[in-house]
């Protein structure tokens, strides 16, 4: 979880939606996205929020339909 916490901060500028979802699942405050706090450890026993999908799985049929139009 510590690695996910650090990657959440590092991904923020490039993948803001994904980082926001991770931040929500880790119950982190907006201020935790500052570079200086990227390696701040989660406290032992920190509660996690309900999980959610970070990205939608690509459907090859849907992708081919989009490509042909």
């Amino acid at each position: 979880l510590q690695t996910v916490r650090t990657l959440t901060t590092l991904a923020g500028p490039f993948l803001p939606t994904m980082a926001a979802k991770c931040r929500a699942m880790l119950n982190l405050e907006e201020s935790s996205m500052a570079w200086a706090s990227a390696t701040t450890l989660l406290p032992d026993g920190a509660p996690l929020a309900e999980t959610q999908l970070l990205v939608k799985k690509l459907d090859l049929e849907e992708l081919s339909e989009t490509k042909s139009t």
Side-chain angles (χ1 to χ4, degrees):
L1 284 177
Q2 301 300 345
T3 301
V4 172
R5 190 261 176 274
T6 299
L7 289 174
T8 296
T9 300
L10 297 176
F14 309 103
L15 302 165
T17 303
M18 186 182 298
K21 288 180 180 181
C22 286
R23 192 183 85 236
M25 287 188 283
L26 294 172
N27 287 318
L28 296 173
E29 299 292 326
E30 179 70 33
S31 62
S32 68
M33 296 302 286
W35 287 109
S37 66
T39 57
T40 301
L41 298 177
L42 293 169
D44 289 340
L48 299 176
E50 187 174 334
T51 59
Q52 55 183 308
L53 292 177
L54 296 178
V55 293
K56 179 183 171 188
K57 182 178 178 180
L58 289 177
D59 181 3
L60 293 179
E61 289 180 16
E62 184 181 317
L63 187 61
S64 64
E65 288 174 11
T66 304
K67 206 174 194 182
S68 64
T69 56

